[in-house]
Amino acid sequence: MNKSRLCVRLLIILSLLGVICCFISPPKIAYAASTCNVSVFQLVNPYTNIHLYTVNHIEIASLTGQGWQNNGAKFQGSMCAAEYGKSNAPIYRLYNPNSGNHFWTKNTAETSSLISSGWKYEGVAWYEFGNTSIYRLYNAANGDHYYTKNIMKF
């Protein structure tokens, strides 16, 4: 079975299980690494199983000090809006004060819609970097989103 057919079948299975997948970062042409490159770390609240993604080491230290689990670097981001003459799309971070969930997107319309629905805009979390696609999965049970570069993991 070819890879694209397997991916389609996997997406159908995930959607039947209540996991919705959105492609948030299309493949890009690779370019040289730069000093702007940062690791995006994943933290998990052990009580709610809600995930948080950050490049901020102070935030990582603060949350792990409060009991969050640091699952390490999951993918790369950039702290530069442009490198080598190429624009990097900003990844916006929003917070839902009612659920405690965070949300990341590069889609400005989605950002505006969430803000008008009561989400708090927290700014640009990082910029896209490199040629790795990042996928967003939704857990309907707790309202959490999981971001990964490896869709085949699920």
Side-chain angles (χ1 to χ4, degrees):
M1 178 180 306
N2 69 31
K3 192 174 181 179
S4 64
R5 287 185 83 166
L6 180 63
C7 192
V8 168
R9 286 184 179 181
L10 177 63
L11 291 175
I12 291 169
I13 292 168
L14 288 171
S15 66
L16 292 173
L17 294 173
V19 177
I20 300 168
C21 176
C22 298
F23 187 66
I24 67 166
S25 174
K28 292 174 230 29
I29 298 170
Y31 56 94
S34 74
T35 58
C36 297
N37 188 18
V38 293
S39 294
V40 178
F41 288 83
Q42 179 195 72
L43 291 95
V44 178
N45 182 318
Y47 306 106
T48 63
N49 201 35
I50 289 178
H51 295 82
L52 181 112
Y53 299 84
T54 186
V55 299
N56 185 320
H57 290 277
I58 295 170
E59 183 173 43
I60 293 168
S62 174
L63 290 173
T64 54
Q66 296 173 45
W68 286 62
Q69 178 182 336
N70 183 347
N71 287 345
K74 294 301 178 180
F75 47 89
Q76 297 299 302
S78 175
M79 293 312 293
C80 300
E83 301 171 77
Y84 305 111
K86 177 199 172 295
S87 294
N88 295 326
I91 305 299
Y92 304 107
R93 177 171 152 166
L94 298 104
Y95 174 72
N96 184 329
N98 298 315
S99 68
N101 284 335
H102 281 86
F103 185 78
W104 297 263
T105 183
K106 70 178 186 177
N107 185 314
T108 55
E110 189 172 39
T111 299
S112 296
S113 175
L114 289 170
I115 291 169
S116 66
S117 297
W119 288 69
K120 304 299 178 202
Y121 177 72
E122 295 186 337
V124 174
W126 62 83
Y127 294 88
E128 285 185 313
F129 180 79
N131 63 349
T132 302
S133 297
I134 304 298
Y135 301 91
R136 179 176 73 205
L137 303 167
Y138 177 68
N139 182 340
N142 68 359
D144 189 28
H145 290 85
Y146 185 87
Y147 299 78
T148 182
K149 66 180 180 181
N150 184 2
I151 191 75
M152 301 312 277
K153 179 178 175 180
F154 295 91

